[in-house]
């Protein structure tokens, strides 16, 4: 069993129709037919959306995505129409709300990997492949790959794992032309972001994108991009292949939940407990540090 420990009730705003409550974001439609996406402070781990939020997390994700959209504008357009609050929206939505185009979403998580870890490492250990792509012998956790690879995944519902799929499966699902466009765009964007992050002392190990098509058939970047929720960012000066790398994300949350201190079994069926304050504060600090190091801006 997994999913929400406590699924929140959607905020009711006059003129907005609530469409979906996700792991982090709440989605609405406004009177003009645009989507209104609100990033909450919810955090998930081990396929559970936890009962404890991380203060400012939703704002960090939103503001970092906006910064990255600007860096990538010449490579791929994005879905953002504006950042103003809809009339009647709560003040807490400030800084975490995007008004977006309603796209025809591609039913694929577009993942780029430049380093071997996570589910890619698990598959490699079994077959020496990732999503059917053959890799050299001798790679370990954290190894840099000979070249970045496109390793798509099928989208999963809240509480379920995304499932890695082959490029051929994407081509069958979306058509060969779209599959080629997704692969090319994903790797182009990853390459740009990897170089920007590297200049700031950060390794972009892997990342996932969501894309959709505008009414004129243009491929558009949607949802969030290159945040600690959608990417693995590692401090370059601490990179050491052969072990798990320290990262700018919810590492503190996962570590605490899997430790004896939590009293919880990640493989069991009981929901996870609330997070202690020190874990919340350390996790918030990592999200803010990622924002500040990548953008060069002060969060406060």
């Amino acid at each position: 069993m997994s999913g929400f420990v406590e699924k929140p009730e959607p905020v009711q705003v006059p003129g907005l129709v609530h469409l979906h409550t996700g792991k982090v974001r709440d989605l609405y439609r406004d009177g003009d037919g645009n989507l209104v996406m609100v990033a909450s402070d919810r955090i998930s781990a081990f396929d559970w959306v936890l009962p404890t939020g991380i203060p400012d997390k939703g704002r960090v994700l939103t503001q970092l995505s906006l910064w990255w959209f600007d860096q990538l504008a010449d490579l791929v357009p994005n879905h953002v129409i504006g950042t103003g609050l809809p009339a009647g929206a709560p003040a807490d939505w400030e800084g975490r709300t995007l008004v977006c185009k309603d796209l025809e979403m591609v039913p694929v998580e577009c993942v780029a990997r430049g380093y071997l870890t996570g589910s890619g490492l698990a598959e490699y250990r079994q077959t020496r492949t990732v999503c059917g792509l053959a890799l050299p012998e001798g790679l370990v956790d954290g190894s840099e790959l000979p070249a970045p690879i496109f390793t798509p995944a099928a989208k999963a519902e809240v509480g379920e794992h995304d499932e890695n799929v082959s490029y051929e499966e994407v081509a069958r699902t979306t058509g060969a032309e779209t599959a080629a466009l997704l692969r090319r765009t994903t790797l182009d964007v990853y390459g740009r972001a990897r170089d920007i992050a590297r200049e700031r002392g950060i390794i972009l190990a892997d990342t996932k994108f969501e894309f959709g098509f505008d009414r004129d058939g243009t491929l558009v970047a949607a949802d969030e991009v290159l945040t600690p929720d959608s990417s693995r960012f590692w401090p370059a000066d601490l990179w050491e292949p052969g072990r798990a790398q320290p990262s700018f994300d919810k590492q503190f949350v996962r570590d605490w939940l899997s430790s004896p201190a939590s009293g919880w079994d990640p493989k069991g069926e009981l929901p996870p407990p609330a997070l202690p304050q020190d874990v919340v504060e350390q996790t918030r600090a990592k999200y803010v540090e990622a924002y500040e190091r990548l953008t060069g801006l002060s969060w406060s």
Side-chain angles (χ1 to χ4, degrees), residues 150-271:
F150 177 62
T151 58
K155 293 182 182 180
E157 297 298 320
V158 174
E160 298 180 6
H161 282 297
D162 291 343
E163 181 182 351
N164 291 347
V165 296
S166 67
Y167 177 78
E168 290 72 23
E169 179 62 28
V170 175
R172 283 192 291 271
T173 301
T174 67
E177 185 176 346
T178 295
L181 177 61
L182 292 172
R183 178 169 61 184
R184 181 171 67 250
T185 305
T186 297
L187 293 175
D188 285 349
V189 172
Y190 172 81
R192 169 74 59 80
R194 175 202 58 203
D195 293 346
I196 290 173
R198 185 177 291 159
E199 292 170 358
R200 290 151 172 81
I202 292 176
I203 289 173
L204 174 58
D206 56 44
T207 190
K208 66 178 180 179
F209 303 104
E210 293 197 38
F211 296 107
F213 286 99
D214 207 343
R215 292 178 182 177
D216 64 0
T218 300
L219 187 70
V220 176
D223 197 50
E224 63 180 332
V225 290
L226 296 154
T227 72
D229 271 14
S230 65
S231 315
R232 283 188 177 91
F233 293 116
W234 299 336
D237 59 345
L238 298 178
W239 174 53
E240 184 182 322
R243 62 171 175 82
Q245 312 299 316
S247 58
F248 294 96
D249 59 10
K250 46 196 172 187
Q251 176 181 339
F252 289 111
V253 171
R254 290 190 293 260
D255 288 350
W256 182 79
L257 285 172
S258 58
S259 74
S262 73
W264 181 66
D265 179 7
K267 297 181 180 179
E269 295 189 0
L270 293 177

Side-chain angles (χ1 to χ4, degrees), residues 38-105:
V38 185
S40 74
D41 292 335
R42 295 190 293 270
I43 191 166
S44 62
F46 299 107
D47 298 323
W48 284 95
V49 180
L50 306 180
T52 312
I54 306 298
D56 286 329
K57 176 174 176 281
R59 290 189 177 91
V60 169
L61 299 181
T62 301
Q63 298 308 310
L64 187 54
S65 288
L66 287 169
W67 184 84
W68 277 115
F69 281 141
D70 286 344
Q71 314 308 309
L72 306 171
D74 60 317
L75 295 180
V76 61
N78 63 75
H79 66 159
V80 179
I81 296 172
T83 59
L85 286 186
D92 182 64
W93 282 16
E94 184 69 45
R96 61 175 78 239
T97 301
L98 299 177
V99 181
C100 306
K101 296 178 181 179
D102 187 7
L103 306 172
E104 181 184 346
M105 296 301 295

